[in-house]
Amino acid sequence: MAALTFSFVPLSLQTILLLIASNVFMTFAWYGHLRSLAAAPWYVAAFVSWGIALAEYLLQVPANRIGFQQAGYSVGQLKIMQEVITLAVFLPFSVFFLKVPMKMDYLWAALCMVGAVYFIFRNG
């Protein structure tokens, strides 16, 4: 089966955009039920989350394959990218969707991730 690619978009950008989209789905799968299905039994939330997670995997797997096989990212670089994107997606989700107040600890965590990005990408 052919890879999910768009020839007009650079491979590195395809990787990042697919990782962002997959993270949106995963964040909803992991945490969306806390608000949307709060009154439902846990197993209903689990099955709904599993369905959402399937959509996440359908984006995440091609993102990592494109990033590793075609864009030239290392596995470590892909993992750190994923973590930074996770934090970037999770913060607005938690503040705007779950109504969790923003804390300075989020900023400190983000700064630690910037350090991780520096170290994983500094030698190419």
Side-chain angles (χ1 to χ4, degrees), residues 81-121:
M81 256 195 292
Q82 178 72 28
E83 295 303 326
V84 169
I85 291 168
T86 296
L87 186 60
V89 168
F90 179 74
L91 289 177
F93 175 86
S94 65
V95 170
F96 296 114
F97 185 77
L98 294 178
K99 308 294 186 207
V100 174
M102 179 65 102
K103 295 173 28 177
M104 282 301 292
D105 290 342
Y106 296 149
L107 173 64
W108 304 131
L111 288 174
C112 289
M113 295 303 292
V114 168
V117 168
Y118 169 76
F119 287 113
I120 204 72
F121 281 94

mmCIF file of all heavy atoms in Angstrom, residues 81-121:
data_model
loop_
_atom_site.group_PDB
_atom_site.id
_atom_site.type_symbol
_atom_site.label_atom_id
_atom_site.label_comp_id
_atom_site.label_asym_id
_atom_site.label_seq_id
_atom_site.Cartn_x
_atom_site.Cartn_y
_atom_site.Cartn_z
ATOM 1 N N MET A 81 10.068 15.060 19.011
ATOM 2 C CA MET A 81 9.064 15.852 18.293
ATOM 3 C C MET A 81 7.666 15.522 18.784
ATOM 4 O O MET A 81 6.843 16.408 19.028
ATOM 5 C CB MET A 81 9.141 15.575 16.790
ATOM 6 C CG MET A 81 9.788 16.658 16.002
ATOM 7 S SD MET A 81 9.482 16.512 14.228
ATOM 8 C CE MET A 81 10.392 15.052 13.827
ATOM 9 N N GLN A 82 7.396 14.225 18.914
ATOM 10 C CA GLN A 82 6.092 13.762 19.380
ATOM 11 C C GLN A 82 5.778 14.326 20.763
ATOM 12 O O GLN A 82 4.663 14.773 21.022
ATOM 13 C CB GLN A 82 6.074 12.228 19.406
ATOM 14 C CG GLN A 82 4.800 11.621 19.927
ATOM 15 C CD GLN A 82 3.643 11.773 18.965
ATOM 16 O OE1 GLN A 82 3.824 11.857 17.765
ATOM 17 N NE2 GLN A 82 2.453 11.806 19.490
ATOM 18 N N GLU A 83 6.751 14.316 21.654
ATOM 19 C CA GLU A 83 6.527 14.809 23.019
ATOM 20 C C GLU A 83 6.279 16.310 23.041
ATOM 21 O O GLU A 83 5.417 16.795 23.782
ATOM 22 C CB GLU A 83 7.698 14.433 23.921
ATOM 23 C CG GLU A 83 7.877 12.946 24.126
ATOM 24 C CD GLU A 83 6.636 12.258 24.686
ATOM 25 O OE1 GLU A 83 5.897 12.867 25.485
ATOM 26 O OE2 GLU A 83 6.400 11.098 24.325
ATOM 27 N N VAL A 84 7.023 17.051 22.241
ATOM 28 C CA VAL A 84 6.818 18.504 22.175
ATOM 29 C C VAL A 84 5.435 18.813 21.604
ATOM 30 O O VAL A 84 4.706 19.664 22.119
ATOM 31 C CB VAL A 84 7.934 19.174 21.343
ATOM 32 C CG1 VAL A 84 7.608 20.631 21.038
ATOM 33 C CG2 VAL A 84 9.265 19.063 22.068
ATOM 34 N N ILE A 85 5.064 18.102 20.549
ATOM 35 C CA ILE A 85 3.737 18.293 19.952
ATOM 36 C C ILE A 85 2.659 17.902 20.950
ATOM 37 O O ILE A 85 1.631 18.584 21.069
ATOM 38 C CB ILE A 85 3.622 17.508 18.630
ATOM 39 C CG1 ILE A 85 4.522 18.146 17.567
ATOM 40 C CG2 ILE A 85 2.180 17.434 18.157
ATOM 41 C CD1 ILE A 85 4.717 17.299 16.324
ATOM 42 N N THR A 86 2.870 16.824 21.695
ATOM 43 C CA THR A 86 1.899 16.410 22.712
ATOM 44 C C THR A 86 1.663 17.524 23.711
ATOM 45 O O THR A 86 0.517 17.840 24.045
ATOM 46 C CB THR A 86 2.393 15.145 23.443
ATOM 47 O OG1 THR A 86 2.465 14.081 22.503
ATOM 48 C CG2 THR A 86 1.455 14.747 24.569
ATOM 49 N N LEU A 87 2.729 18.129 24.190
ATOM 50 C CA LEU A 87 2.593 19.229 25.148
ATOM 51 C C LEU A 87 1.904 20.437 24.503
ATOM 52 O O LEU A 87 1.019 21.046 25.114
ATOM 53 C CB LEU A 87 3.967 19.623 25.690
ATOM 54 C CG LEU A 87 3.997 20.660 26.795
ATOM 55 C CD1 LEU A 87 3.213 20.191 28.019
ATOM 56 C CD2 LEU A 87 5.434 20.965 27.182
ATOM 57 N N ALA A 88 2.266 20.740 23.264
ATOM 58 C CA ALA A 88 1.670 21.881 22.570
ATOM 59 C C ALA A 88 0.177 21.677 22.309
ATOM 60 O O ALA A 88 -0.598 22.632 22.301
ATOM 61 C CB ALA A 88 2.400 22.141 21.253
ATOM 62 N N VAL A 89 -0.242 20.439 22.101
ATOM 63 C CA VAL A 89 -1.666 20.141 21.895
ATOM 64 C C VAL A 89 -2.387 20.053 23.237
ATOM 65 O O VAL A 89 -3.510 20.536 23.386
ATOM 66 C CB VAL A 89 -1.840 18.826 21.091
ATOM 67 C CG1 VAL A 89 -3.277 18.346 21.103
ATOM 68 C CG2 VAL A 89 -1.352 19.013 19.663
ATOM 69 N N PHE A 90 -1.741 19.435 24.224
ATOM 70 C CA PHE A 90 -2.379 19.212 25.514
ATOM 71 C C PHE A 90 -2.663 20.510 26.268
ATOM 72 O O PHE A 90 -3.720 20.635 26.897
ATOM 73 C CB PHE A 90 -1.511 18.297 26.387
ATOM 74 C CG PHE A 90 -2.109 18.045 27.736
ATOM 75 C CD1 PHE A 90 -3.195 17.199 27.877
ATOM 76 C CD2 PHE A 90 -1.608 18.678 28.868
ATOM 77 C CE1 PHE A 90 -3.765 16.968 29.112
ATOM 78 C CE2 PHE A 90 -2.170 18.454 30.109
ATOM 79 C CZ PHE A 90 -3.247 17.599 30.238
ATOM 80 N N LEU A 91 -1.764 21.466 26.229
ATOM 81 C CA LEU A 91 -1.971 22.706 26.989
ATOM 82 C C LEU A 91 -3.244 23.437 26.592
ATOM 83 O O LEU A 91 -4.088 23.708 27.458
ATOM 84 C CB LEU A 91 -0.747 23.612 26.882
ATOM 85 C CG LEU A 91 0.475 23.126 27.645
ATOM 86 C CD1 LEU A 91 1.653 24.049 27.427
ATOM 87 C CD2 LEU A 91 0.177 22.984 29.124
ATOM 88 N N PRO A 92 -3.444 23.776 25.314
ATOM 89 C CA PRO A 92 -4.714 24.439 24.983
ATOM 90 C C PRO A 92 -5.931 23.550 25.219
ATOM 91 O O PRO A 92 -6.992 24.034 25.622
ATOM 92 C CB PRO A 92 -4.581 24.812 23.505
ATOM 93 C CG PRO A 92 -3.305 24.266 23.029
ATOM 94 C CD PRO A 92 -2.540 23.716 24.175
ATOM 95 N N PHE A 93 -5.783 22.245 24.989
ATOM 96 C CA PHE A 93 -6.888 21.319 25.240
ATOM 97 C C PHE A 93 -7.298 21.358 26.704
ATOM 98 O O PHE A 93 -8.487 21.461 27.031
ATOM 99 C CB PHE A 93 -6.468 19.899 24.845
ATOM 100 C CG PHE A 93 -7.501 18.857 25.175
ATOM 101 C CD1 PHE A 93 -8.526 18.579 24.304
ATOM 102 C CD2 PHE A 93 -7.440 18.159 26.366
ATOM 103 C CE1 PHE A 93 -9.486 17.623 24.599
ATOM 104 C CE2 PHE A 93 -8.381 17.200 26.682
ATOM 105 C CZ PHE A 93 -9.414 16.933 25.796
ATOM 106 N N SER A 94 -6.321 21.280 27.598
ATOM 107 C CA SER A 94 -6.661 21.253 29.023
ATOM 108 C C SER A 94 -7.243 22.580 29.489
ATOM 109 O O SER A 94 -8.172 22.592 30.298
ATOM 110 C CB SER A 94 -5.447 20.853 29.863
ATOM 111 O OG SER A 94 -4.429 21.822 29.762
ATOM 112 N N VAL A 95 -6.736 23.679 28.964
ATOM 113 C CA VAL A 95 -7.229 24.992 29.391
ATOM 114 C C VAL A 95 -8.611 25.288 28.795
ATOM 115 O O VAL A 95 -9.517 25.705 29.513
ATOM 116 C CB VAL A 95 -6.220 26.098 29.017
ATOM 117 C CG1 VAL A 95 -6.809 27.483 29.236
ATOM 118 C CG2 VAL A 95 -4.933 25.929 29.821
ATOM 119 N N PHE A 96 -8.776 25.065 27.495
ATOM 120 C CA PHE A 96 -10.014 25.466 26.830
ATOM 121 C C PHE A 96 -11.103 24.390 26.851
ATOM 122 O O PHE A 96 -12.284 24.713 26.925
ATOM 123 C CB PHE A 96 -9.739 25.917 25.393
ATOM 124 C CG PHE A 96 -8.878 27.136 25.319
ATOM 125 C CD1 PHE A 96 -7.607 27.065 24.776
ATOM 126 C CD2 PHE A 96 -9.310 28.347 25.818
ATOM 127 C CE1 PHE A 96 -6.798 28.182 24.712
ATOM 128 C CE2 PHE A 96 -8.510 29.483 25.764
ATOM 129 C CZ PHE A 96 -7.251 29.396 25.213
ATOM 130 N N PHE A 97 -10.742 23.124 26.760
ATOM 131 C CA PHE A 97 -11.749 22.068 26.732
ATOM 132 C C PHE A 97 -12.065 21.542 28.131
ATOM 133 O O PHE A 97 -13.224 21.407 28.502
ATOM 134 C CB PHE A 97 -11.295 20.915 25.819
ATOM 135 C CG PHE A 97 -12.335 19.848 25.639
ATOM 136 C CD1 PHE A 97 -13.410 20.046 24.783
ATOM 137 C CD2 PHE A 97 -12.261 18.658 26.336
ATOM 138 C CE1 PHE A 97 -14.379 19.072 24.620
ATOM 139 C CE2 PHE A 97 -13.229 17.668 26.181
ATOM 140 C CZ PHE A 97 -14.288 17.887 25.322
ATOM 141 N N LEU A 98 -11.018 21.246 28.894
ATOM 142 C CA LEU A 98 -11.245 20.715 30.244
ATOM 143 C C LEU A 98 -11.379 21.802 31.303
ATOM 144 O O LEU A 98 -11.703 21.502 32.449
ATOM 145 C CB LEU A 98 -10.108 19.764 30.631
ATOM 146 C CG LEU A 98 -10.007 18.477 29.816
ATOM 147 C CD1 LEU A 98 -8.807 17.664 30.272
ATOM 148 C CD2 LEU A 98 -11.280 17.659 29.908
ATOM 149 N N LYS A 99 -11.103 23.045 30.925
ATOM 150 C CA LYS A 99 -11.225 24.200 31.831
ATOM 151 C C LYS A 99 -10.283 24.091 33.035
ATOM 152 O O LYS A 99 -10.624 24.486 34.148
ATOM 153 C CB LYS A 99 -12.672 24.372 32.317
ATOM 154 C CG LYS A 99 -13.707 24.417 31.227
ATOM 155 C CD LYS A 99 -13.557 25.629 30.356
ATOM 156 C CE LYS A 99 -14.715 25.701 29.366
ATOM 157 N NZ LYS A 99 -14.388 26.389 28.175
ATOM 158 N N VAL A 100 -9.091 23.560 32.808
ATOM 159 C CA VAL A 100 -8.074 23.474 33.851
ATOM 160 C C VAL A 100 -7.283 24.771 33.819
ATOM 161 O O VAL A 100 -6.842 25.204 32.750
ATOM 162 C CB VAL A 100 -7.134 22.270 33.598
ATOM 163 C CG1 VAL A 100 -5.989 22.252 34.576
ATOM 164 C CG2 VAL A 100 -7.923 20.977 33.637
ATOM 165 N N PRO A 101 -7.096 25.424 34.966
ATOM 166 C CA PRO A 101 -6.354 26.687 34.955
ATOM 167 C C PRO A 101 -4.883 26.481 34.554
ATOM 168 O O PRO A 101 -4.268 25.476 34.900
ATOM 169 C CB PRO A 101 -6.447 27.200 36.394
ATOM 170 C CG PRO A 101 -7.071 26.125 37.194
ATOM 171 C CD PRO A 101 -7.576 25.061 36.291
ATOM 172 N N MET A 102 -4.364 27.447 33.820
ATOM 173 C CA MET A 102 -2.961 27.417 33.401
ATOM 174 C C MET A 102 -2.074 27.634 34.618
ATOM 175 O O MET A 102 -2.386 28.455 35.472
ATOM 176 C CB MET A 102 -2.707 28.513 32.361
ATOM 177 C CG MET A 102 -1.300 28.580 31.879
ATOM 178 S SD MET A 102 -0.842 27.104 31.000
ATOM 179 C CE MET A 102 -0.959 27.687 29.346
ATOM 180 N N LYS A 103 -0.974 26.867 34.696
ATOM 181 C CA LYS A 103 -0.034 26.997 35.800
ATOM 182 C C LYS A 103 1.358 27.257 35.251
ATOM 183 O O LYS A 103 1.668 26.872 34.131
ATOM 184 C CB LYS A 103 -0.011 25.698 36.633
ATOM 185 C CG LYS A 103 -1.313 25.408 37.328
ATOM 186 C CD LYS A 103 -1.379 24.060 38.016
ATOM 187 C CE LYS A 103 -0.087 23.502 38.497
ATOM 188 N NZ LYS A 103 -0.188 22.236 39.218
ATOM 189 N N MET A 104 2.191 27.877 36.049
ATOM 190 C CA MET A 104 3.572 28.133 35.642
ATOM 191 C C MET A 104 4.331 26.827 35.409
ATOM 192 O O MET A 104 5.282 26.794 34.632
ATOM 193 C CB MET A 104 4.294 28.983 36.697
ATOM 194 C CG MET A 104 3.943 30.453 36.649
ATOM 195 S SD MET A 104 4.322 31.214 35.049
ATOM 196 C CE MET A 104 6.102 31.152 35.051
ATOM 197 N N ASP A 105 3.927 25.765 36.062
ATOM 198 C CA ASP A 105 4.601 24.482 35.871
ATOM 199 C C ASP A 105 4.540 24.039 34.409
ATOM 200 O O ASP A 105 5.446 23.360 33.929
ATOM 201 C CB ASP A 105 3.991 23.409 36.768
ATOM 202 C CG ASP A 105 4.320 23.633 38.233
ATOM 203 O OD1 ASP A 105 5.269 24.387 38.523
ATOM 204 O OD2 ASP A 105 3.625 23.053 39.078
ATOM 205 N N TYR A 106 3.488 24.418 33.686
ATOM 206 C CA TYR A 106 3.397 24.094 32.274
ATOM 207 C C TYR A 106 4.505 24.790 31.489
ATOM 208 O O TYR A 106 5.095 24.230 30.578
ATOM 209 C CB TYR A 106 2.037 24.472 31.697
ATOM 210 C CG TYR A 106 0.863 23.712 32.272
ATOM 211 C CD1 TYR A 106 -0.381 24.298 32.367
ATOM 212 C CD2 TYR A 106 0.994 22.393 32.706
ATOM 213 C CE1 TYR A 106 -1.465 23.603 32.872
ATOM 214 C CE2 TYR A 106 -0.082 21.691 33.213
ATOM 215 C CZ TYR A 106 -1.305 22.304 33.294
ATOM 216 O OH TYR A 106 -2.374 21.612 33.796
ATOM 217 N N LEU A 107 4.778 26.035 31.853
ATOM 218 C CA LEU A 107 5.856 26.779 31.199
ATOM 219 C C LEU A 107 7.199 26.113 31.478
ATOM 220 O O LEU A 107 8.008 25.935 30.572
ATOM 221 C CB LEU A 107 5.877 28.233 31.675
ATOM 222 C CG LEU A 107 7.073 29.055 31.193
ATOM 223 C CD1 LEU A 107 7.060 29.198 29.680
ATOM 224 C CD2 LEU A 107 7.092 30.409 31.871
ATOM 225 N N TRP A 108 7.434 25.728 32.700
ATOM 226 C CA TRP A 108 8.708 25.084 33.055
ATOM 227 C C TRP A 108 8.845 23.751 32.312
ATOM 228 O O TRP A 108 9.935 23.412 31.834
ATOM 229 C CB TRP A 108 8.839 24.872 34.554
ATOM 230 C CG TRP A 108 8.695 26.146 35.351
ATOM 231 C CD1 TRP A 108 7.906 26.336 36.435
ATOM 232 C CD2 TRP A 108 9.337 27.403 35.105
ATOM 233 N NE1 TRP A 108 8.010 27.641 36.881
ATOM 234 C CE2 TRP A 108 8.881 28.314 36.078
ATOM 235 C CE3 TRP A 108 10.231 27.870 34.143
ATOM 236 C CZ2 TRP A 108 9.311 29.640 36.135
ATOM 237 C CZ3 TRP A 108 10.655 29.195 34.190
ATOM 238 C CH2 TRP A 108 10.193 30.054 35.178
ATOM 239 N N ALA A 109 7.773 23.004 32.218
ATOM 240 C CA ALA A 109 7.809 21.742 31.472
ATOM 241 C C ALA A 109 8.119 22.002 29.997
ATOM 242 O O ALA A 109 8.911 21.273 29.387
ATOM 243 C CB ALA A 109 6.481 21.004 31.619
ATOM 244 N N ALA A 110 7.513 23.040 29.437
ATOM 245 C CA ALA A 110 7.766 23.395 28.040
ATOM 246 C C ALA A 110 9.232 23.778 27.835
ATOM 247 O O ALA A 110 9.846 23.395 26.836
ATOM 248 C CB ALA A 110 6.845 24.537 27.606
ATOM 249 N N LEU A 111 9.806 24.495 28.774
ATOM 250 C CA LEU A 111 11.222 24.860 28.668
ATOM 251 C C LEU A 111 12.124 23.625 28.729
ATOM 252 O O LEU A 111 13.136 23.551 28.030
ATOM 253 C CB LEU A 111 11.605 25.862 29.754
ATOM 254 C CG LEU A 111 11.040 27.276 29.565
ATOM 255 C CD1 LEU A 111 11.369 28.151 30.772
ATOM 256 C CD2 LEU A 111 11.568 27.898 28.285
ATOM 257 N N CYS A 112 11.757 22.657 29.543
ATOM 258 C CA CYS A 112 12.518 21.402 29.580
ATOM 259 C C CYS A 112 12.449 20.694 28.232
ATOM 260 O O CYS A 112 13.443 20.132 27.760
ATOM 261 C CB CYS A 112 11.985 20.487 30.685
ATOM 262 S SG CYS A 112 12.371 21.055 32.349
ATOM 263 N N MET A 113 11.286 20.747 27.603
ATOM 264 C CA MET A 113 11.138 20.118 26.290
ATOM 265 C C MET A 113 11.967 20.852 25.238
ATOM 266 O O MET A 113 12.530 20.216 24.340
ATOM 267 C CB MET A 113 9.667 20.080 25.877
ATOM 268 C CG MET A 113 8.801 19.201 26.750
ATOM 269 S SD MET A 113 9.347 17.497 26.857
ATOM 270 C CE MET A 113 9.028 16.944 25.212
ATOM 271 N N VAL A 114 12.078 22.170 25.353
ATOM 272 C CA VAL A 114 12.938 22.919 24.432
ATOM 273 C C VAL A 114 14.377 22.436 24.580
ATOM 274 O O VAL A 114 15.091 22.249 23.591
ATOM 275 C CB VAL A 114 12.824 24.444 24.680
ATOM 276 C CG1 VAL A 114 13.912 25.212 23.946
ATOM 277 C CG2 VAL A 114 11.446 24.947 24.264
ATOM 278 N N GLY A 115 14.795 22.200 25.814
ATOM 279 C CA GLY A 115 16.128 21.645 26.040
ATOM 280 C C GLY A 115 16.278 20.281 25.399
ATOM 281 O O GLY A 115 17.308 19.972 24.790
ATOM 282 N N ALA A 116 15.268 19.442 25.517
ATOM 283 C CA ALA A 116 15.306 18.110 24.903
ATOM 284 C C ALA A 116 15.425 18.214 23.384
ATOM 285 O O ALA A 116 16.184 17.471 22.759
ATOM 286 C CB ALA A 116 14.054 17.315 25.294
ATOM 287 N N VAL A 117 14.688 19.146 22.798
ATOM 288 C CA VAL A 117 14.768 19.351 21.350
ATOM 289 C C VAL A 117 16.185 19.774 20.971
ATOM 290 O O VAL A 117 16.765 19.253 20.009
ATOM 291 C CB VAL A 117 13.733 20.407 20.880
ATOM 292 C CG1 VAL A 117 13.990 20.836 19.444
ATOM 293 C CG2 VAL A 117 12.318 19.874 21.041
ATOM 294 N N TYR A 118 16.754 20.684 21.723
ATOM 295 C CA TYR A 118 18.122 21.136 21.443
ATOM 296 C C TYR A 118 19.084 19.950 21.434
ATOM 297 O O TYR A 118 19.860 19.759 20.498
ATOM 298 C CB TYR A 118 18.571 22.183 22.460
ATOM 299 C CG TYR A 118 20.050 22.457 22.364
ATOM 300 C CD1 TYR A 118 20.571 23.226 21.329
ATOM 301 C CD2 TYR A 118 20.930 21.905 23.297
ATOM 302 C CE1 TYR A 118 21.934 23.450 21.220
ATOM 303 C CE2 TYR A 118 22.295 22.124 23.195
ATOM 304 C CZ TYR A 118 22.792 22.901 22.164
ATOM 305 O OH TYR A 118 24.147 23.101 22.070
ATOM 306 N N PHE A 119 19.056 19.146 22.482
ATOM 307 C CA PHE A 119 20.014 18.061 22.599
ATOM 308 C C PHE A 119 19.821 16.964 21.552
ATOM 309 O O PHE A 119 20.790 16.406 21.051
ATOM 310 C CB PHE A 119 19.983 17.457 24.004
ATOM 311 C CG PHE A 119 20.620 18.353 25.029
ATOM 312 C CD1 PHE A 119 19.862 18.941 26.010
ATOM 313 C CD2 PHE A 119 21.973 18.630 24.981
ATOM 314 C CE1 PHE A 119 20.448 19.777 26.950
ATOM 315 C CE2 PHE A 119 22.576 19.463 25.896
ATOM 316 C CZ PHE A 119 21.802 20.046 26.892
ATOM 317 N N ILE A 120 18.589 16.671 21.179
ATOM 318 C CA ILE A 120 18.352 15.584 20.224
ATOM 319 C C ILE A 120 18.639 16.020 18.774
ATOM 320 O O ILE A 120 18.990 15.200 17.933
ATOM 321 C CB ILE A 120 16.939 14.982 20.362
ATOM 322 C CG1 ILE A 120 16.893 13.546 19.833
ATOM 323 C CG2 ILE A 120 15.904 15.817 19.658
ATOM 324 C CD1 ILE A 120 17.566 12.550 20.687
ATOM 325 N N PHE A 121 18.530 17.337 18.490
ATOM 326 C CA PHE A 121 18.754 17.819 17.137
ATOM 327 C C PHE A 121 20.110 18.481 16.942
ATOM 328 O O PHE A 121 20.471 18.809 15.810
ATOM 329 C CB PHE A 121 17.641 18.808 16.729
ATOM 330 C CG PHE A 121 16.370 18.147 16.313
ATOM 331 C CD1 PHE A 121 15.352 17.934 17.229
ATOM 332 C CD2 PHE A 121 16.185 17.711 15.017
ATOM 333 C CE1 PHE A 121 14.174 17.315 16.858
ATOM 334 C CE2 PHE A 121 15.007 17.095 14.635
ATOM 335 C CZ PHE A 121 13.996 16.896 15.563
#
